[in-house]
């Protein structure tokens, strides 16, 4: 069972949760999450998860006697909180330290929030995401949207580039489209819809109707459609090359130990050079 140390919880419904690990990917993710929380007018919750047995074993092998893991966790969170508080004075930041299996701890922490933000192991915007096992498991299991951010994506790109959303041959999903429209509206960015079709053209008609409804709700968002033929992932990666955010869907509920995220989502996460939001639906 996952333990919680010093938890404050989400003080505002729909808060943004960021996983903090100390590496450049997690620092970029925390900064991205801070700007996202400000744009949503909500709380940023920083979470550090540590798996005590593996940490103790690693220290024993290295011949090191460290301070208790909870102390290291608290220090890491305090440093991240102080940095973001200085950088974003109007932001409310809370911290939470969890002991237990890492993927389960982070997924659980994001369950009562609106968004979970994690860092990748990538080396910059010139390359795709290097998706570690922790991030992959969180994407596969989370019931909330998960955003993956690489090192180098901690700059404010508001107003720079499109928000890109992918719609597969199965047709549009309102959960995914709603997330994409909201993201584009808050960033004052155009929304580019990359979509395939079925032989009878039904997907295209359904998409037209769905977009009309969302444009009525977000009249400030300019929408461009990009029909494609062929491998969906390759088109999405190419379309999002200069995007500020790429949004893809993930269908179905996943069991607690699932790691499968689907071939299109997997390829996008491996090769996209923009932050990627994976939105569960269905």
């Amino acid at each position: 069972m996952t333990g919680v140390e010093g938890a404050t919880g989400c003080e505002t419904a729909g808060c943004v949760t960021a996983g903090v690990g100390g590496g450049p990917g997690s620092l970029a993710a925390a900064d991205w999450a801070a700007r996202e929380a400000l744009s949503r007018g909500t709380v940023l919750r920083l979470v550090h998860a540590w798996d005590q047995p593996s940490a103790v074993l690693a220290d024993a092998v290295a011949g090191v006697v460290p301070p208790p893991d909870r102390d290291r966790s608290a220090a890491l969170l305090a440093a991240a909180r102080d940095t973001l508080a200085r950088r974003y004075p109007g932001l409310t930041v809370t911290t939470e330290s969890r002991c237990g299996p890492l993927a389960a701890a982070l997924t659980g922490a994001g369950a009562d929030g609106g968004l979970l933000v994690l860092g990748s192991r990538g080396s910059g915007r010139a390359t795709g995401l290097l998706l570690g096992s922790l991030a992959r498991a969180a994407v596969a299991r989370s019931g909330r949207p998960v955003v993956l951010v690489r090192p180098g994506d901690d700059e404010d790109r508001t107003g720079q580039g499109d928000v890109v959303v992918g719609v597969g041959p199965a047709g549009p999903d309102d959960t995914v489209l709603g997330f994409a429209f909201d993201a584009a509206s808050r960033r004052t960015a155009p929304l580019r819809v990359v979509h395939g079709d079925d032989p009878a053209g039904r997907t295209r008609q359904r998409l037209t109707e769905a977009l009309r409804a969302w444009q009525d709700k977000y009249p400030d968002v300019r929408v461009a459609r990009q029909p494609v033929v062929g491998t969906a992932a390759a088109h999405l990666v190419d379309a999002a090359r200069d995007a500020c955010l790429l949004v893809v869907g993930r269908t179905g509920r996943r069991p607690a130990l699932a790691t499968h995220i689907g071939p299109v989502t997997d390829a996008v996460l491996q090769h996209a050079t923009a932050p990627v939001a994976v939105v569960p639906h269905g």
Side-chain angles (χ1 to χ4, degrees):
M1 185 172 71
T2 300
V4 180
E5 299 288 345
T8 58
C10 263
E11 297 166 3
T12 301
C15 74
V16 176
T17 299
V20 175
S26 75
L27 296 177
D31 198 276
W32 192 98
R35 297 194 306 275
E36 185 72 11
L38 278 174
S39 76
R40 293 174 177 230
T42 190
V43 172
L44 172 64
R45 176 173 56 176
L46 301 177
V47 176
H48 179 252
W50 47 280
D51 195 341
Q52 189 174 30
S54 60
V56 170
L57 178 60
D59 288 324
V61 170
V64 176
V65 180
D69 288 302
R70 71 179 64 181
D71 292 349
R72 289 188 289 175
S73 179
L76 184 67
L77 287 167
R81 179 195 61 215
D82 292 347
T83 297
L84 293 174
R86 287 193 302 269
R87 192 172 295 172
Y88 304 104
L91 179 65
T92 300
V93 184
T94 67
T95 62
E96 183 173 321
S97 178
R98 290 186 168 230
C99 175
L102 303 183
L106 287 173
T107 303
D112 58 348
L115 187 68
L116 175 61
V117 185
L118 299 174
S120 82
R121 296 161 57 191
S123 57
R125 287 187 58 80
T127 59
L129 287 162
L130 293 179
L131 198 62
S133 58
L134 170 60
R136 181 180 297 277
V139 169
R141 301 171 196 173
S142 177
R144 301 287 183 177
V146 179
V147 175
L148 276 298
V149 179
R150 79 200 65 252
D153 271 331
D154 50 349
E155 58 183 286
D156 186 356
R157 296 175 59 81
T158 300
Q160 302 179 39
D162 301 349
V163 171
V164 175
V165 61
V167 177
D173 180 88
D174 274 342
T175 302
V176 179
L177 285 181
F179 185 97
F181 267 90
D182 178 69
S185 178
R186 284 184 290 101
R187 288 166 173 78
T188 63
L191 177 63
R192 188 166 8 150
V193 183
V194 178
H195 63 94
D197 203 358
D198 62 273
R202 289 186 295 267
T203 298
R204 189 167 302 200
Q205 179 58 35
R206 288 174 55 203
L207 179 58
T208 297
E209 295 169 358
L211 290 177
R212 185 181 300 119
W214 283 107
Q215 285 182 283
D216 287 343
K217 185 173 181 180
Y218 292 94
D220 59 313
V221 176
R222 289 190 295 112
V223 178
R225 292 174 59 163
Q226 182 178 331
V228 297
V229 177
T231 306
H235 287 296
L236 286 171
V237 169
D238 185 65
R241 200 168 304 280
D242 296 314
C244 60
L245 182 67
L246 172 59
V247 181
V248 295
R250 175 182 63 71
T251 59
R253 295 182 177 276
R254 297 292 191 269
L257 298 180
T259 58
H260 180 69
I261 57 179
V264 172
T265 300
D266 183 73
V268 164
L269 289 174
Q270 294 290 347
H271 299 291
T273 55
V276 178
V278 182
V279 182
H281 63 90

